[in-house]
Amino acid sequence: MLERKYLAEKYPQEIQNILDKYPAEQRRSAVMPLLYLAQRDKMYINREDLQEIGDILGITLTEVASLVGFYTLYYDQPKGVYHIQVCTDLPCALRGADRFLAELCDRLGIQPGETTPDGLVTIEPVMCLAACDKAPMFQLQSGAGLTYYENQTVENALSLIEQLRKDASGRRVSARERGRDGNG
Amino acid sequence: MADNGYVLLRHREIPDLDSLEVYRKHGGFQALEKAVTRMKPAEVTEVVKASGLRGRGGAGFPTGLKWAFMDNQIWPHYVVANADESEPGTFKDREIMEGNPYQFLEGVAICAYAVQAHLAYVYLRGEFWQIAERLDSHLAAMEAAGLLGERLFGSDYSLRIRTHLGAGAYICGEETAMLESLEGKLGQPRLRPPFPATFGLYGKPTVVNNVETLTNVPRIIEFGADWYRSMGTEKSPGPKIFSLSGCVNKPGNYELPLGTTFRHLIFECGGGVPEGNSVKAIMSAGASSSLIVANDQALDTPMDYESVPNVGGQLGSASVIVIDSSVSIPWLINKTVHFFRHESCGKCTPCREGTFWMGHLTQRILDGTAKPEDVDLLYDVGGQMRGKCLCALGEFSIEAPRSSIERFRSEFDLAPSQPKTAVDQG
């Protein structure tokens, strides 16, 4: 089988910068940032990415895949273009986070953990995000990174989602194209 | 002498302190220069020892002593700053890194000089992606200004600092799990000993210190141990950032001397509890806490490492969650147990199985499907876990359920018919 070089060809400088952060004989340390790099490319990490990252670092696909299973911020399945993750841990729950999550999902007609029918937004509860004094709050994850939204109301969140929907159509087309390249 | 007021949250008094220029205008990096050019590494450690600074991540271990434990027979040495801040109720390190990042990074650099490390990492939880990006640009600014890199201040000492992002695992706040994660492995704790001071990152001697701990260091080097000891108590000197959350009118971070009372924090700083409710319980170490019964004796207890245990709690990272009279304790316990069950790394059996079964029991109690003996069983499962877990995660997971069964037993017998919380009744 030909060695895949999708990430290496698309992100040569980024990969070099990541490798430079660690001692030359400790390349394995670069596995987590490389997984983030692959994930930002199409919002999830596929098997080919795992293999390529393993090849870059000289470790097995299984070793790379085990990290994706262990750490909750990595995804090996495509989800919504955006992930809204609402903290429902104790301090947030004391400020109404459970009710916020339930109402938000209700208004969108989905259950926590599900994706809106148009594939735009996945909403799920998560563990503490270190913003306990500003609940209800959530983080928004997308290909562009991760942003905190604090002191939220359901209405705020719905208008944010409306804005994302408006912004998304063009971006979703290009994401599909990138996904095709990625599998090629 | 230091500016009046803040030692750590100085950005609240000085606008734009996250700019290198502003930070230097306010004395920034003078402590690093003083250490590197005029002090031997061991002298720096001695000053930190004399200051009485104790680790702010939760354990309260003397910081200078930790540095002095570094094995000088094995090289190179590393420093890892613990910026994994994940304890429910803790949100102080985030404010430091956003508002006063250079003082933190200067602390990392001084620590690295003291233990003669030439490479230091800041391990941030994955959700702090934006903070990591900003720290990267701060580090680039420091390199451009000659505050990092080769031959600092004309000395022979060189240092680089790098950020590293975790990916959503509470366990990586445990120092050996953090080191495993930084090595590109599953974030699971190591058996100790050997401790990181002997066998740390890449098997080399390593100091792991919390963000807040390191942020104290530049001020200690600049103004001295005696100045530092003028704040706080004899055994717990200095200021501490208390993260106040839960049922309180003004949640947020409050920088106060160690030894301030719960009453002052909750009522003077936090404006008391909403809607005229009373304080029922206090969790002072986040989800890892016992529930302290909030009577007058507890409210008047000084928040320091020695005093909080006297009322059946722990200071921990000083993330004070206030529980008022509207909150159902079984509901609360189900929340904390669910957290630990989700975050247990699975490596050791007592924690993996114990948190799983505690989770079953608390859910049954909450749902009203529990058998009468389930509350005792929950207490017993926690007791079986005690002292048998590989790391503190499992040990801490039992604090809230066990203490609440001891102190709020009547609520468990009533659990099924109780509302969840005032805010979540909908």
Side-chain angles (χ1 to χ4, degrees), chain B residues 34-36 39-49 67 110-111 113-114 217 221:
Chain B
K34 176 180 175 182
V36 171
M39 296 170 80
K40 295 200 175 83
E43 285 177 87
V44 176
T45 301
E46 280 309 312
V47 174
V48 174
K49 249 197 221 174
W67 298 4
I110 293 170
C111 171
Y113 173 76
V217 170
I221 297 303

Side-chain angles (χ1 to χ4, degrees), chain B residues 121-177:
Chain B
Y121 288 98
V122 179
Y123 185 106
L124 299 106
R125 59 180 299 174
E127 293 83 352
F128 287 172
W129 177 80
Q130 286 175 308
I131 299 174
E133 288 233 312
R134 259 175 279 160
L135 286 184
D136 284 340
S137 70
H138 297 322
L139 291 169
M142 284 169 66
E143 288 193 21
L147 299 165
L148 284 175
E150 302 296 323
R151 302 182 57 80
L152 297 186
F153 306 104
S155 72
D156 291 338
Y157 182 65
S158 67
L159 173 65
R160 292 213 149 65
I161 303 177
R162 302 280 182 250
T163 58
H164 182 95
L165 274 178
Y170 168 77
I171 186 60
C172 290
E174 196 281 336
E175 61 181 9
T176 62

Side-chain angles (χ1 to χ4, degrees), chain A residues 21-38:
Chain A
K21 285 180 126 178
Y22 306 97
E25 66 282 12
Q26 305 291 353
R27 284 168 83 86
R28 184 179 178 148
S29 280
V31 64
M32 291 177 73
L34 289 175
L35 284 169
Y36 277 124
L37 183 73

Side-chain angles (χ1 to χ4, degrees), chain A residues 29-81:
Chain A
S29 280
V31 64
M32 291 177 73
L34 289 175
L35 284 169
Y36 277 124
L37 183 73
Q39 180 157 292
R40 297 245 157 82
D41 188 69
K42 53 192 165 299
M43 275 306 280
Y44 80 105
I45 302 162
N46 64 24
R47 193 182 163 85
E48 289 75 20
D49 295 327
L50 297 175
Q51 183 66 58
E52 184 177 348
I53 290 169
D55 290 342
I56 292 170
L57 301 176
I59 57 179
T60 65
L61 181 147
T62 309
E63 285 171 311
V64 182
S66 69
L67 297 181
V68 176
F70 184 85
Y71 293 100
T72 57
L73 284 178
Y74 297 130
Y75 302 96
D76 57 5
Q77 299 290 326
K79 287 198 178 184
V81 181

Side-chain angles (χ1 to χ4, degrees), chain B residues 19-30 33 145 147 153:
Chain B
S19 117
L20 181 57
E21 197 189 337
V22 173
Y23 182 66
R24 294 190 83 172
K25 206 178 284 174
H26 288 269
F29 291 103
Q30 286 176 10
E33 180 169 10
L147 299 165
F153 306 104

Side-chain angles (χ1 to χ4, degrees), chain B residues 289-305:
Chain B
S289 316
S290 304
L291 271 73
I292 300 170
V293 179
N295 53 26
D296 281 340
Q297 187 205 347
L299 287 170
D300 290 325
T301 296
M303 295 183 289
D304 59 48
Y305 298 102

Side-chain angles (χ1 to χ4, degrees), chain A residues 21-172:
Chain A
K21 285 180 126 178
Y22 306 97
E25 66 282 12
Q26 305 291 353
R27 284 168 83 86
R28 184 179 178 148
S29 280
V31 64
M32 291 177 73
L34 289 175
L35 284 169
Y36 277 124
L37 183 73
Q39 180 157 292
R40 297 245 157 82
D41 188 69
K42 53 192 165 299
M43 275 306 280
Y44 80 105
I45 302 162
N46 64 24
R47 193 182 163 85
E48 289 75 20
D49 295 327
L50 297 175
Q51 183 66 58
E52 184 177 348
I53 290 169
D55 290 342
I56 292 170
L57 301 176
I59 57 179
T60 65
L61 181 147
T62 309
E63 285 171 311
V64 182
S66 69
L67 297 181
V68 176
F70 184 85
Y71 293 100
T72 57
L73 284 178
Y74 297 130
Y75 302 96
D76 57 5
Q77 299 290 326
K79 287 198 178 184
V81 181
Y82 298 95
H83 297 189
I84 287 182
Q85 299 178 306
V86 182
C87 174
T88 55
D89 257 325
L90 176 62
C92 282
L94 291 171
R95 292 172 63 85
D98 284 330
R99 195 177 54 186
F100 171 84
L101 174 67
E103 279 183 21
L104 182 60
C105 288
D106 251 17
R107 295 280 293 273
L108 292 166
I110 58 174
Q111 294 292 317
E114 291 181 353
T115 303
T116 51
D118 58 359
L120 185 74
V121 184
T122 305
I123 299 188
E124 55 194 2
V126 285
M127 297 300 166
C128 184
L129 296 174
C132 321
D133 56 336
K134 301 188 180 72
M137 64 80 59
F138 58 82
Q139 62 182 6
L140 176 72
Q141 256 192 296
S142 72
L146 189 155
T147 314
Y148 275 32
Y149 289 82
E150 302 177 317
N151 293 317
Q152 290 293 297
T153 62
V154 172
E155 297 306 324
N156 283 158
L158 288 170
S159 54
L160 171 70
I161 291 167
E162 205 38 57
Q163 191 57 48
L164 296 175
R165 188 163 281 141
K166 281 183 196 152
D167 297 348
S169 49
R171 202 173 300 163
R172 243 180 311 165

Side-chain angles (χ1 to χ4, degrees), chain A residues 86-101 125-129 131-137, chain B residues 88-89 245-247 321-324 326-328 331-336 338 420-426:
Chain A
V86 182
C87 174
T88 55
D89 257 325
L90 176 62
C92 282
L94 291 171
R95 292 172 63 85
D98 284 330
R99 195 177 54 186
F100 171 84
L101 174 67
V126 285
M127 297 300 166
C128 184
L129 296 174
C132 321
D133 56 336
K134 301 188 180 72
M137 64 80 59
Chain B
S245 69
C247 308
I321 307 174
V322 179
I323 314 298
D324 78 12
S326 71
V327 179
S328 149
W331 169 85
L332 181 155
I333 294 312
N334 190 50
K335 277 277 177 197
T336 67
H338 175 74
K420 288 183 176 179
T421 71
V423 284
D424 280 320
Q425 285 170 67

